[in-house]
Amino acid sequence: MTDGFTSWALATPVTLVLAFFLLAPIAMIVSVSFWGSTSFTIYPDFIWDNYDYLLGSSVTYTVFLKTLKFAFMTWIITLVVGFTVAYYLTFHIRSLTWQIALFLLCTIPFWTSNIIRMISWIPFLGRNGIANQTLMDLGLTSAPLEWLLYSEFSVTLAFVHLYTLFMVVPIFNTMMRIDKSLIEAAYDAGASGFQILTNVIIPLCKPGMMIGSIFVITLVMGDFITVRFMSGSQIANVGRLISNDISLLAYPSAAATAVVLLITVLIMVAVMLRFVDIRKEL
């Protein structure tokens, strides 16, 4: 057998699995997005009514902008926190054993479900929660802060708590591959710590930062349960739109929203990949 035939034969099982579990569901969602629906049933058809209603409503653009806002805020915060944690583990912890131990320590919150970790913030941030009681005991506030819970702040805080590790892991993996002799050479050449950070470490960490960014942005864009719980159902994002349509059995409308969300996320990922080549990390 030729090398080309062998390569195709080896790739065929994975291709079939991806086609069945990834491409086929997406094709079904796209197909259903063109179906029609009434108050009691849905019927196969090829109509643009779902997209006309979705793209013609100002609510859609407001919700999409809100979702993009959460994605951007979460991305910025997780990038800063993730880079800082990875930098500390890589360059300030000399022992490999301690590096692994502290890295595993970062994963402890992930030993429980996302919902449990999310709900744990509610008694902490509530009107009579630990945060407000502490602030009032210290004399920093005279009344409970209402914006700590069921607000954009609480939603963003939950997103950062849930998804920071997805930024830490790829950046830490990239930093561990940096040749320490490059940093020593930069020191010998008279570079300051800030110059080494901006001209050596950050450029070499861009692939890991980009992988983490893709993880965080895609997860936030599709998350709806966090927004529902942490906003007290007062804030909507695209995931909430899809969830509401499904609860009303409006599957064609939900499918159309899902297709637009998928296209939006793919465009964002494509734009990010234009700036950094992540193939060396994969």
Side-chain angles (χ1 to χ4, degrees):
M1 293 186 295
T2 63
D3 292 339
F5 179 80
T6 302
S7 300
W8 280 104
L10 292 174
T12 298
V14 177
T15 303
L16 293 176
V17 170
L18 290 176
F20 183 77
F21 289 102
L22 179 63
L23 298 181
I26 293 177
M28 180 60 69
I29 292 173
V30 174
S31 175
V32 172
S33 69
F34 292 100
W35 289 11
S37 64
T38 64
S39 301
F40 305 100
T41 185
I42 61 174
Y43 53 91
D45 204 341
F46 187 82
I47 56 178
W48 293 89
D49 292 4
N50 299 312
Y51 290 99
D52 288 339
Y53 177 78
L54 181 67
L55 300 178
S57 173
S58 60
V59 175
T60 301
Y61 299 100
T62 302
V63 172
F64 264 87
L65 288 176
K66 181 71 69 174
T67 305
L68 291 172
K69 178 182 178 180
F70 282 133
F72 178 77
M73 293 171 62
T74 306
W75 170 65
I76 289 294
I77 298 173
T78 55
L79 180 61
V80 173
V81 175
F83 186 90
T84 303
V85 172
Y87 182 89
Y88 177 79
L89 293 177
T90 304
F91 296 107
H92 289 272
I93 305 299
R94 301 298 180 182
S95 171
L96 179 61
T97 302
W98 276 106
Q99 285 179 336
I100 297 175
L102 292 175
F103 177 76
L104 293 177
L105 185 64
C106 296
T107 67
I108 288 180
F110 285 76
W111 296 359
T112 59
S113 70
N114 280 6
I115 295 179
I116 293 176
R117 286 184 287 136
M118 181 200 323
I119 293 178
S120 65
W121 283 105
I122 295 178
F124 182 83
L125 299 174
R127 180 180 179 83
N128 298 316
I130 299 174
N132 272 318
Q133 290 296 329
T134 302
L135 291 173
M136 288 190 293
D137 290 342
L138 295 175
L140 299 178
T141 59
S142 58
L145 300 177
E146 301 290 345
W147 54 266
L148 287 182
L149 185 62
Y150 301 142
S151 62
E152 293 186 7
F153 170 80
S154 59
V155 173
T156 305
L157 179 63
F159 276 142
V160 171
H161 179 208
L162 294 175
Y163 301 132
T164 295
L165 189 65
F166 290 94
M167 189 70 76
V168 173
V169 172
I171 296 178
F172 176 70
N173 180 59
T174 305
M175 281 189 180
M176 290 295 290
R177 298 183 184 183
I178 296 177
D179 189 351
K180 301 303 187 293
S181 62
L182 295 176
I183 298 177
E184 294 176 0
Y187 272 120
D188 294 339
S192 63
F194 181 77
Q195 289 174 324
I196 293 175
L197 176 66
T198 56
N199 295 297
V200 179
I201 297 177
I202 291 180
L204 293 177
C205 289
K206 283 183 178 179
M209 295 164 64
M210 189 57 60
I211 293 175
S213 299
I214 292 173
F215 275 128
V216 170
I217 289 176
T218 53
L219 288 170
V220 173
M221 290 290 291
D223 192 310
F224 71 94
I225 196 69
T226 302
V227 177
R228 176 184 176 184
F229 279 108
M230 299 307 296
S231 70
S233 297
Q234 300 179 43
I235 299 176
N237 68 339
V238 181
R240 287 291 308 279
L241 288 182
I242 298 174
S243 176
N244 291 339
D245 285 339
I246 292 176
S247 64
L248 297 174
L249 303 182
Y251 296 116
S253 177
T257 307
V259 170
V260 175
L261 175 62
L262 176 62
I263 293 174
T264 303
V265 172
L266 289 177
I267 291 174
M268 295 171 65
V269 172
V271 171
M272 289 189 292
L273 293 179
R274 294 285 295 176
F275 295 96
V276 178
D277 184 6
I278 65 173
R279 288 177 294 181
K280 63 181 69 175
E281 293 291 315
L282 301 178

Short mmCIF file of all heavy atoms in Angstrom, two decimals, residues 17-66:
data_model
loop_
_atom_site.label_atom_id
_atom_site.label_comp_id
_atom_site.label_asym_id
_atom_site.label_seq_id
_atom_site.Cartn_x
_atom_site.Cartn_y
_atom_site.Cartn_z
N VAL A 17 -16.29 9.24 12.72
CA VAL A 17 -16.79 9.60 14.05
C VAL A 17 -17.13 11.08 14.10
O VAL A 17 -18.19 11.47 14.61
CB VAL A 17 -15.75 9.24 15.13
CG1 VAL A 17 -16.14 9.83 16.48
CG2 VAL A 17 -15.60 7.74 15.25
N LEU A 18 -16.22 11.94 13.58
CA LEU A 18 -16.49 13.37 13.57
C LEU A 18 -17.69 13.71 12.71
O LEU A 18 -18.51 14.58 13.06
CB LEU A 18 -15.26 14.13 13.08
CG LEU A 18 -14.05 14.15 14.01
CD1 LEU A 18 -12.87 14.86 13.35
CD2 LEU A 18 -14.40 14.84 15.33
N ALA A 19 -17.83 13.03 11.58
CA ALA A 19 -18.95 13.29 10.69
C ALA A 19 -20.27 12.94 11.37
O ALA A 19 -21.28 13.65 11.23
CB ALA A 19 -18.79 12.52 9.39
N PHE A 20 -20.28 11.83 12.12
CA PHE A 20 -21.52 11.36 12.75
C PHE A 20 -21.89 12.19 13.97
O PHE A 20 -23.05 12.55 14.17
CB PHE A 20 -21.39 9.89 13.14
CG PHE A 20 -22.64 9.31 13.73
CD1 PHE A 20 -23.71 8.96 12.91
CD2 PHE A 20 -22.76 9.13 15.09
CE1 PHE A 20 -24.88 8.43 13.46
CE2 PHE A 20 -23.92 8.61 15.65
CZ PHE A 20 -24.98 8.26 14.83
N PHE A 21 -20.89 12.51 14.80
CA PHE A 21 -21.19 13.17 16.06
C PHE A 21 -21.06 14.70 16.00
O PHE A 21 -21.51 15.38 16.92
CB PHE A 21 -20.26 12.66 17.17
CG PHE A 21 -20.57 11.25 17.60
CD1 PHE A 21 -19.79 10.20 17.15
CD2 PHE A 21 -21.66 10.97 18.41
CE1 PHE A 21 -20.07 8.89 17.54
CE2 PHE A 21 -21.95 9.67 18.79
CZ PHE A 21 -21.15 8.63 18.36
N LEU A 22 -20.43 15.25 14.97
CA LEU A 22 -20.24 16.70 14.88
C LEU A 22 -20.94 17.29 13.66
O LEU A 22 -21.80 18.17 13.80
CB LEU A 22 -18.75 17.03 14.83
CG LEU A 22 -18.40 18.52 14.72
CD1 LEU A 22 -18.89 19.26 15.96
CD2 LEU A 22 -16.90 18.70 14.55
N LEU A 23 -20.60 16.81 12.49
CA LEU A 23 -21.14 17.41 11.27
C LEU A 23 -22.62 17.10 11.08
O LEU A 23 -23.39 17.97 10.68
CB LEU A 23 -20.33 16.93 10.05
CG LEU A 23 -18.85 17.29 10.05
CD1 LEU A 23 -18.18 16.78 8.78
CD2 LEU A 23 -18.67 18.80 10.16
N ALA A 24 -23.03 15.86 11.36
CA ALA A 24 -24.44 15.50 11.18
C ALA A 24 -25.37 16.31 12.08
O ALA A 24 -26.40 16.81 11.60
CB ALA A 24 -24.62 13.99 11.41
N PRO A 25 -25.07 16.48 13.39
CA PRO A 25 -25.96 17.33 14.21
C PRO A 25 -26.02 18.77 13.73
O PRO A 25 -27.09 19.39 13.75
CB PRO A 25 -25.32 17.23 15.61
CG PRO A 25 -24.60 15.94 15.61
CD PRO A 25 -24.07 15.78 14.21
N ILE A 26 -24.86 19.32 13.30
CA ILE A 26 -24.86 20.69 12.81
C ILE A 26 -25.71 20.79 11.54
O ILE A 26 -26.48 21.74 11.36
CB ILE A 26 -23.42 21.17 12.54
CG1 ILE A 26 -22.66 21.29 13.86
CG2 ILE A 26 -23.43 22.51 11.80
CD1 ILE A 26 -21.21 21.68 13.68
N ALA A 27 -25.58 19.80 10.65
CA ALA A 27 -26.39 19.80 9.43
C ALA A 27 -27.88 19.72 9.77
O ALA A 27 -28.71 20.38 9.13
CB ALA A 27 -25.99 18.63 8.54
N MET A 28 -28.23 18.94 10.78
CA MET A 28 -29.63 18.85 11.19
C MET A 28 -30.14 20.18 11.75
O MET A 28 -31.27 20.60 11.46
CB MET A 28 -29.79 17.75 12.24
CG MET A 28 -31.21 17.56 12.74
SD MET A 28 -32.37 17.13 11.42
CE MET A 28 -31.79 15.47 11.03
N ILE A 29 -29.31 20.84 12.55
CA ILE A 29 -29.71 22.14 13.11
C ILE A 29 -29.93 23.16 12.00
O ILE A 29 -30.92 23.91 12.00
CB ILE A 29 -28.65 22.64 14.11
CG1 ILE A 29 -28.63 21.74 15.35
CG2 ILE A 29 -28.93 24.09 14.51
CD1 ILE A 29 -27.50 22.07 16.30
N VAL A 30 -29.02 23.18 11.03
CA VAL A 30 -29.17 24.10 9.90
C VAL A 30 -30.44 23.79 9.12
O VAL A 30 -31.18 24.70 8.71
CB VAL A 30 -27.93 24.03 8.98
CG1 VAL A 30 -28.15 24.87 7.73
CG2 VAL A 30 -26.69 24.51 9.72
N SER A 31 -30.72 22.50 8.93
CA SER A 31 -31.92 22.11 8.19
C SER A 31 -33.19 22.53 8.93
O SER A 31 -34.11 23.12 8.33
CB SER A 31 -31.91 20.59 7.98
OG SER A 31 -33.12 20.16 7.36
N VAL A 32 -33.23 22.30 10.25
CA VAL A 32 -34.42 22.63 11.03
C VAL A 32 -34.64 24.15 11.09
O VAL A 32 -35.77 24.62 11.21
CB VAL A 32 -34.31 22.04 12.45
CG1 VAL A 32 -35.44 22.53 13.35
CG2 VAL A 32 -34.32 20.52 12.39
N SER A 33 -33.54 24.91 10.98
CA SER A 33 -33.67 26.37 11.06
C SER A 33 -34.49 26.95 9.91
O SER A 33 -34.97 28.09 10.00
CB SER A 33 -32.29 27.02 11.09
OG SER A 33 -31.63 26.89 9.84
N PHE A 34 -34.69 26.18 8.85
CA PHE A 34 -35.49 26.64 7.72
C PHE A 34 -36.91 26.08 7.75
O PHE A 34 -37.69 26.35 6.84
CB PHE A 34 -34.83 26.25 6.39
CG PHE A 34 -33.54 26.97 6.12
CD1 PHE A 34 -32.33 26.36 6.36
CD2 PHE A 34 -33.54 28.28 5.65
CE1 PHE A 34 -31.14 27.03 6.11
CE2 PHE A 34 -32.36 28.96 5.40
CZ PHE A 34 -31.15 28.33 5.64
N TRP A 35 -37.23 25.31 8.78
CA TRP A 35 -38.58 24.76 8.88
C TRP A 35 -39.56 25.82 9.36
O TRP A 35 -39.17 26.86 9.91
CB TRP A 35 -38.61 23.57 9.84
CG TRP A 35 -37.92 22.34 9.32
CD1 TRP A 35 -37.13 22.25 8.21
CD2 TRP A 35 -37.96 21.03 9.88
NE1 TRP A 35 -36.67 20.98 8.05
CE2 TRP A 35 -37.17 20.19 9.05
CE3 TRP A 35 -38.59 20.47 10.99
CZ2 TRP A 35 -36.99 18.84 9.32
CZ3 TRP A 35 -38.43 19.12 11.26
CH2 TRP A 35 -37.63 18.32 10.43
N GLY A 36 -40.82 25.54 9.18
CA GLY A 36 -41.87 26.42 9.66
C GLY A 36 -42.46 25.91 10.96
O GLY A 36 -42.25 24.76 11.35
N SER A 37 -43.18 26.77 11.64
CA SER A 37 -43.79 26.36 12.91
C SER A 37 -45.06 27.14 13.15
O SER A 37 -45.23 28.26 12.65
CB SER A 37 -42.81 26.59 14.07
OG SER A 37 -42.54 27.97 14.22
N THR A 38 -45.95 26.52 13.91
CA THR A 38 -47.17 27.18 14.37
C THR A 38 -47.18 27.10 15.90
O THR A 38 -46.21 26.68 16.51
CB THR A 38 -48.41 26.49 13.79
OG1 THR A 38 -48.50 25.15 14.28
CG2 THR A 38 -48.36 26.47 12.26
N SER A 39 -48.29 27.46 16.49
CA SER A 39 -48.38 27.41 17.95
C SER A 39 -48.38 25.99 18.48
O SER A 39 -48.11 25.76 19.66
CB SER A 39 -49.66 28.13 18.42
OG SER A 39 -49.65 29.48 17.99
N PHE A 40 -48.69 25.00 17.60
CA PHE A 40 -48.87 23.63 18.08
C PHE A 40 -47.96 22.63 17.39
O PHE A 40 -47.84 21.50 17.86
CB PHE A 40 -50.33 23.18 17.89
CG PHE A 40 -51.32 24.11 18.52
CD1 PHE A 40 -52.00 25.04 17.76
CD2 PHE A 40 -51.57 24.07 19.90
CE1 PHE A 40 -52.92 25.90 18.34
CE2 PHE A 40 -52.47 24.93 20.48
CZ PHE A 40 -53.16 25.85 19.71
N THR A 41 -47.33 23.02 16.30
CA THR A 41 -46.55 22.02 15.57
C THR A 41 -45.46 22.70 14.75
O THR A 41 -45.46 23.93 14.58
CB THR A 41 -47.47 21.21 14.64
OG1 THR A 41 -46.70 20.17 14.01
CG2 THR A 41 -48.04 22.10 13.53
N ILE A 42 -44.54 21.89 14.26
CA ILE A 42 -43.52 22.34 13.31
C ILE A 42 -43.64 21.45 12.07
O ILE A 42 -44.08 20.31 12.16
CB ILE A 42 -42.11 22.27 13.91
CG1 ILE A 42 -41.73 20.83 14.29
CG2 ILE A 42 -41.96 23.18 15.10
CD1 ILE A 42 -40.29 20.68 14.76
N TYR A 43 -43.25 21.99 10.94
CA TYR A 43 -43.39 21.24 9.70
C TYR A 43 -42.18 21.51 8.80
O TYR A 43 -41.67 22.63 8.76
CB TYR A 43 -44.69 21.62 8.97
CG TYR A 43 -44.85 23.11 8.73
CD1 TYR A 43 -44.37 23.70 7.55
CD2 TYR A 43 -45.46 23.92 9.68
CE1 TYR A 43 -44.51 25.06 7.34
CE2 TYR A 43 -45.60 25.28 9.48
CZ TYR A 43 -45.13 25.84 8.31
OH TYR A 43 -45.26 27.18 8.10
N PRO A 44 -41.70 20.49 8.09
CA PRO A 44 -40.55 20.65 7.19
C PRO A 44 -40.89 21.61 6.05
O PRO A 44 -41.96 21.51 5.44
CB PRO A 44 -40.29 19.23 6.68
CG PRO A 44 -40.96 18.33 7.66
CD PRO A 44 -42.15 19.09 8.15
N ASP A 45 -39.99 22.51 5.79
CA ASP A 45 -40.18 23.47 4.71
C ASP A 45 -38.84 24.15 4.46
O ASP A 45 -37.85 23.87 5.14
CB ASP A 45 -41.25 24.50 5.10
CG ASP A 45 -41.89 25.14 3.86
OD1 ASP A 45 -41.27 25.05 2.79
OD2 ASP A 45 -42.98 25.71 3.99
N PHE A 46 -38.80 25.00 3.48
CA PHE A 46 -37.60 25.81 3.25
C PHE A 46 -38.03 27.26 3.16
O PHE A 46 -38.34 27.78 2.09
CB PHE A 46 -36.88 25.38 1.97
CG PHE A 46 -35.54 26.07 1.80
CD1 PHE A 46 -34.41 25.59 2.44
CD2 PHE A 46 -35.42 27.20 1.01
CE1 PHE A 46 -33.19 26.22 2.29
CE2 PHE A 46 -34.20 27.85 0.86
CZ PHE A 46 -33.09 27.36 1.50
N ILE A 47 -38.08 27.90 4.33
CA ILE A 47 -38.52 29.29 4.40
C ILE A 47 -37.50 30.08 5.22
O ILE A 47 -36.74 29.53 6.02
CB ILE A 47 -39.92 29.41 5.04
CG1 ILE A 47 -39.93 28.74 6.44
CG2 ILE A 47 -40.98 28.80 4.14
CD1 ILE A 47 -41.26 28.86 7.14
N TRP A 48 -37.51 31.39 5.00
CA TRP A 48 -36.57 32.27 5.69
C TRP A 48 -37.22 33.03 6.85
O TRP A 48 -36.64 33.96 7.38
CB TRP A 48 -35.99 33.29 4.69
CG TRP A 48 -35.13 32.66 3.65
CD1 TRP A 48 -35.52 32.16 2.44
CD2 TRP A 48 -33.72 32.44 3.72
NE1 TRP A 48 -34.45 31.66 1.75
CE2 TRP A 48 -33.32 31.82 2.51
CE3 TRP A 48 -32.74 32.72 4.68
CZ2 TRP A 48 -32.00 31.46 2.24
CZ3 TRP A 48 -31.42 32.37 4.42
CH2 TRP A 48 -31.06 31.75 3.22
N ASP A 49 -38.42 32.61 7.22
CA ASP A 49 -39.17 33.36 8.23
C ASP A 49 -38.43 33.46 9.55
O ASP A 49 -38.43 34.50 10.22
CB ASP A 49 -40.54 32.70 8.47
CG ASP A 49 -41.45 32.83 7.27
OD1 ASP A 49 -40.99 33.36 6.24
OD2 ASP A 49 -42.60 32.39 7.35
N ASN A 50 -37.78 32.37 9.97
CA ASN A 50 -37.06 32.37 11.25
C ASN A 50 -35.92 33.38 11.24
O ASN A 50 -35.70 34.10 12.22
CB ASN A 50 -36.53 30.98 11.57
CG ASN A 50 -37.64 29.96 11.70
OD1 ASN A 50 -38.63 30.18 12.39
ND2 ASN A 50 -37.49 28.83 11.01
N TYR A 51 -35.19 33.41 10.12
CA TYR A 51 -34.07 34.36 10.03
C TYR A 51 -34.57 35.78 9.85
O TYR A 51 -33.95 36.73 10.37
CB TYR A 51 -33.15 33.96 8.86
CG TYR A 51 -32.39 32.69 9.12
CD1 TYR A 51 -32.83 31.48 8.59
CD2 TYR A 51 -31.23 32.69 9.89
CE1 TYR A 51 -32.12 30.30 8.83
CE2 TYR A 51 -30.52 31.53 10.14
CZ TYR A 51 -30.97 30.33 9.60
OH TYR A 51 -30.27 29.17 9.84
N ASP A 52 -35.66 35.95 9.11
CA ASP A 52 -36.22 37.30 8.95
C ASP A 52 -36.66 37.87 10.29
O ASP A 52 -36.40 39.04 10.61
CB ASP A 52 -37.44 37.26 8.00
CG ASP A 52 -37.02 37.02 6.55
OD1 ASP A 52 -35.84 37.28 6.24
OD2 ASP A 52 -37.86 36.56 5.76
N TYR A 53 -37.32 37.04 11.09
CA TYR A 53 -37.78 37.50 12.40
C TYR A 53 -36.59 37.76 13.33
O TYR A 53 -36.56 38.75 14.07
CB TYR A 53 -38.71 36.46 13.02
CG TYR A 53 -39.17 36.82 14.41
CD1 TYR A 53 -40.19 37.75 14.62
CD2 TYR A 53 -38.59 36.22 15.53
CE1 TYR A 53 -40.62 38.10 15.89
CE2 TYR A 53 -39.01 36.55 16.81
CZ TYR A 53 -40.02 37.49 16.98
OH TYR A 53 -40.42 37.83 18.24
N LEU A 54 -35.59 36.85 13.28
CA LEU A 54 -34.44 36.96 14.17
C LEU A 54 -33.61 38.20 13.84
O LEU A 54 -33.27 39.00 14.73
CB LEU A 54 -33.58 35.70 14.07
CG LEU A 54 -32.32 35.64 14.95
CD1 LEU A 54 -32.70 35.56 16.42
CD2 LEU A 54 -31.47 34.44 14.56
N LEU A 55 -33.27 38.37 12.58
CA LEU A 55 -32.38 39.46 12.17
C LEU A 55 -33.13 40.79 12.03
O LEU A 55 -32.50 41.83 11.94
CB LEU A 55 -31.70 39.12 10.85
CG LEU A 55 -30.82 37.85 10.88
CD1 LEU A 55 -30.23 37.58 9.50
CD2 LEU A 55 -29.72 37.98 11.92
N GLY A 56 -34.44 40.73 12.04
CA GLY A 56 -35.21 41.97 11.93
C GLY A 56 -35.64 42.54 13.26
O GLY A 56 -36.28 43.60 13.31
N SER A 57 -35.29 41.87 14.34
CA SER A 57 -35.68 42.33 15.67
C SER A 57 -34.52 43.03 16.35
O SER A 57 -33.39 42.54 16.36
CB SER A 57 -36.14 41.13 16.52
OG SER A 57 -36.37 41.52 17.86
N SER A 58 -34.81 44.19 16.93
CA SER A 58 -33.75 44.92 17.65
C SER A 58 -33.33 44.19 18.92
O SER A 58 -32.20 44.36 19.39
CB SER A 58 -34.27 46.32 18.01
OG SER A 58 -35.42 46.25 18.85
N VAL A 59 -34.21 43.36 19.46
CA VAL A 59 -33.88 42.59 20.66
C VAL A 59 -32.71 41.65 20.38
O VAL A 59 -31.83 41.45 21.23
CB VAL A 59 -35.11 41.80 21.15
CG1 VAL A 59 -34.74 40.91 22.34
CG2 VAL A 59 -36.23 42.75 21.53
N THR A 60 -32.69 41.08 19.19
CA THR A 60 -31.61 40.16 18.83
C THR A 60 -30.25 40.84 18.91
O THR A 60 -29.31 40.30 19.49
CB THR A 60 -31.83 39.63 17.40
OG1 THR A 60 -33.09 38.96 17.34
CG2 THR A 60 -30.71 38.67 17.01
N TYR A 61 -30.14 42.03 18.36
CA TYR A 61 -28.85 42.73 18.36
C TYR A 61 -28.48 43.17 19.77
O TYR A 61 -27.30 43.13 20.15
CB TYR A 61 -28.94 43.94 17.42
CG TYR A 61 -29.22 43.55 15.99
CD1 TYR A 61 -30.51 43.65 15.46
CD2 TYR A 61 -28.20 43.06 15.18
CE1 TYR A 61 -30.77 43.28 14.15
CE2 TYR A 61 -28.46 42.69 13.86
CZ TYR A 61 -29.74 42.81 13.36
OH TYR A 61 -30.00 42.43 12.08
N THR A 62 -29.47 43.55 20.57
CA THR A 62 -29.18 43.91 21.96
C THR A 62 -28.64 42.72 22.73
O THR A 62 -27.66 42.83 23.47
CB THR A 62 -30.45 44.43 22.65
OG1 THR A 62 -30.96 45.57 21.93
CG2 THR A 62 -30.16 44.83 24.08
N VAL A 63 -29.27 41.57 22.54
CA VAL A 63 -28.84 40.37 23.25
C VAL A 63 -27.46 39.92 22.76
O VAL A 63 -26.61 39.51 23.57
CB VAL A 63 -29.88 39.25 23.08
CG1 VAL A 63 -29.35 37.93 23.65
CG2 VAL A 63 -31.18 39.62 23.76
N PHE A 64 -27.22 39.99 21.47
CA PHE A 64 -25.91 39.60 20.94
C PHE A 64 -24.82 40.53 21.47
O PHE A 64 -23.72 40.08 21.81
CB PHE A 64 -25.93 39.60 19.41
CG PHE A 64 -26.20 38.25 18.80
CD1 PHE A 64 -27.50 37.82 18.60
CD2 PHE A 64 -25.16 37.40 18.46
CE1 PHE A 64 -27.76 36.58 18.05
CE2 PHE A 64 -25.40 36.16 17.91
CZ PHE A 64 -26.71 35.74 17.71
N LEU A 65 -25.10 41.82 21.52
CA LEU A 65 -24.12 42.76 22.07
C LEU A 65 -23.85 42.47 23.54
O LEU A 65 -22.71 42.57 24.00
CB LEU A 65 -24.61 44.19 21.88
CG LEU A 65 -24.58 44.73 20.45
CD1 LEU A 65 -25.19 46.14 20.40
CD2 LEU A 65 -23.14 44.77 19.91
N LYS A 66 -24.90 42.14 24.28
CA LYS A 66 -24.72 41.78 25.69
C LYS A 66 -23.85 40.52 25.83
O LYS A 66 -22.96 40.45 26.69
CB LYS A 66 -26.08 41.56 26.34
CG LYS A 66 -26.02 41.20 27.82
CD LYS A 66 -25.59 42.38 28.67
CE LYS A 66 -26.67 43.45 28.69
NZ LYS A 66 -26.35 44.56 29.62
#
